[in-house]
Amino acid sequence: FFVPVYVSCNFSTANGFPSLSHARGLLADAVALVRREMPYWNRSAGADHVFVASHDFGACFHPMEDVAVADGIPEFLKKSILLQTFGVHGPHVCQEAEHVVIPPHVPPEVALELPEPEKARRDIFAFFRGKMEVHPKNISGRFYSK
């Protein structure tokens, strides 16, 4: 069962740092609603429910890796299936639930400008989705998750 809750990273904070502080509460409220109103969550504790976590460190919901690792995945999501744009080789706290790494959204107008992957000759493979600002409190880049 797909649970349509989209939690995006808020880059418009007063201090300029990315924020996902609303994510856990928003998802907890959604899970509480599904538990209360629909019978299917309770029969499997959410194991057959799918959520999207399309930001850095996926279902850990924090843009800084050290905090994301310390917080981990919320307990109420650990049995669910998580679609994440975050993925690493090897074990990682933010991938300790059933997960599928998915590509991020690319708008159709951008996709039309890109060469067909099978015909493109590339020797550099890189991806960046986010916002990196020069901010007086973020000169080191520590407050962006890479």
Side-chain angles (χ1 to χ4, degrees):
F1 299 96
F2 177 67
V3 183
V5 180
Y6 179 70
V7 182
S8 65
C9 189
N10 177 9
F11 284 101
S12 302
T13 58
N15 63 8
F17 300 149
S19 174
L20 279 165
S21 59
H22 62 287
R24 289 174 186 260
L26 185 65
L27 285 160
D29 289 348
V31 168
L33 176 74
V34 171
R35 277 184 179 147
R36 186 175 60 249
E37 303 291 329
M38 299 167 192
Y40 307 110
W41 181 279
N42 296 324
R43 73 176 185 186
S44 68
D48 51 5
H49 286 66
V50 178
F51 293 84
V52 176
S54 60
H55 43 269
D56 299 322
F57 305 111
C60 284
F61 302 108
H62 201 281
M64 291 169 35
E65 186 169 20
D66 55 343
V67 179
V69 167
D71 290 349
I73 297 172
E75 204 58 43
F76 59 85
L77 287 181
K78 285 190 175 180
K79 292 187 178 181
S80 297
I81 301 163
L82 306 168
L83 304 179
Q84 308 187 111
T85 54
F86 169 72
V88 296
H89 292 289
H92 194 284
V93 170
C94 300
Q95 291 183 252
E96 288 182 347
E98 184 69 32
H99 68 279
V100 178
V101 178
I102 59 172
H105 171 72
V106 177
E109 62 275 9
V110 172
L112 290 173
E113 296 174 13
L114 300 174
E116 295 178 47
E118 63 275 5
K119 294 180 182 175
R121 292 190 45 90
R122 297 181 283 173
D123 59 353
I124 297 174
F125 297 91
F127 170 75
F128 175 79
R129 179 181 182 195
K131 181 177 179 182
M132 186 65 185
E133 292 183 346
V134 176
H135 188 280
K137 295 182 180 176
N138 191 28
I139 297 301
S140 68
R142 179 183 182 291
F143 296 103
Y144 183 76
S145 65
K146 305 179 200 110

